[in-house]
Amino acid sequence: MTTIGIIGAGHIGGQLARKAVEFGYDVVISNSRGPGTLVDLVAELGPKARAATPPEAAAAGDFAVVSVPLRSIQDVPVEPLAGKVVLDTNNYYWERDGHFPALDAGEATTSGLLQEHLPQSKVAKAFNHIRSSQITTDGAPAGTPNRRALATASDFPEAAELVTRLYDEFGFDTVNMGPLSESWRTERDRPAYVIRQNAAQLAENLARAPRTI
């Protein structure tokens, strides 16, 4: 069975871990404070999960999820993620992260910054425009009318395909935005951000997103 390495055990990372073990994945989860701070979460998740350091989680995963604040992406381990698909859940909150002029000017994307930090990995945007609590509650079987849709973007087709498979397994349709340079379309304060939408509605909201806010 596939192992998912999760770097960042906050709201999104924790919810993805819950959903992953529900579907039989092994999960190795980490945060910046050390495995000892994840005892309660791992006990909740059960025998399919264990806590580790970020480098250990990165090395253990067949693919990885990075769910850390933007200001911390330089701390994401590089070498253990080489050659792997990395799902980026990040959004840019300048109030939390400080200002990134290239993001403010619409010249970069958060996922693009992570891809630059991980030049040998295959980064894909995922799970960034859904409220964390809804990751475990809003999924529905394939073919369900008005099934909720989520977007992805990647410079690597195989990474976008992995996200599409995971979305479907977790109960969501997929809209592919294209390369990482388009991944800003689902970020904060844009029409597709944290609202429930089906695939047609999501595609429409992506199309009308403004580049800068």
Side-chain angles (χ1 to χ4, degrees):
M1 178 56 68
T2 300
T3 297
I4 306 176
I6 300 179
I7 300 168
H11 295 300
I12 295 177
Q15 287 294 87
L16 287 175
R18 291 179 178 96
K19 199 67 175 175
V21 297
E22 176 186 335
F23 282 91
Y25 289 93
D26 292 315
V27 169
V28 182
I29 191 165
S30 64
N31 64 11
S32 61
R33 297 176 294 147
T37 65
L38 298 172
V39 171
D40 290 343
L41 176 60
V42 168
E44 175 197 337
L45 294 172
K48 299 292 287 183
R50 65 180 176 90
T53 65
E56 290 167 345
D62 296 299
F63 66 92
V65 174
V66 170
S67 192
V68 301
L70 182 62
R71 64 175 184 268
S72 300
I73 63 170
Q74 294 301 314
D75 298 328
V76 174
V78 176
E79 185 175 348
L81 294 173
K84 296 182 181 182
V85 173
V86 177
L87 278 56
D88 172 46
T89 74
N90 214 338
N91 289 297
Y92 172 41
Y93 302 103
W94 60 263
E95 302 92 335
R96 176 195 67 186
D97 301 312
H99 278 285
F100 285 62
L103 296 178
D104 292 335
E107 298 168 350
T109 66
T110 59
S111 293
L113 294 178
L114 183 62
Q115 183 68 78
E116 289 176 11
H117 177 66
L118 301 173
Q120 297 182 69
S121 302
K122 302 171 183 178
V123 173
K125 198 72 174 179
F127 293 105
N128 76 299
H129 65 111
I130 179 173
R131 296 191 187 280
S132 58
S133 62
Q134 296 171 342
I135 291 171
T136 54
T137 61
D138 272 23
T144 300
N146 208 38
R147 191 190 199 200
R148 186 167 184 172
L150 299 175
T152 190
S154 181
D155 295 338
F156 300 91
E158 60 269 39
E161 289 168 6
L162 188 152
V163 174
T164 299
R165 291 195 302 271
L166 194 66
Y167 278 171
D168 186 55
E169 191 170 14
F170 284 10
F172 304 97
D173 286 340
T174 302
V175 175
N176 191 328
M177 296 180 283
L180 283 184
S181 59
E182 296 295 310
S183 60
W184 55 270
R185 293 181 180 276
T186 57
E187 291 195 351
R188 173 190 179 178
D189 296 332
R190 292 176 174 86
Y193 185 65
V194 297
I195 67 166
R196 195 195 185 289
Q197 56 212 310
N198 61 31
Q201 292 165 336
L202 175 54
E204 181 180 344
N205 285 332
L206 294 173
R208 65 189 185 91
R211 183 64 183 90
T212 57
I213 299 295

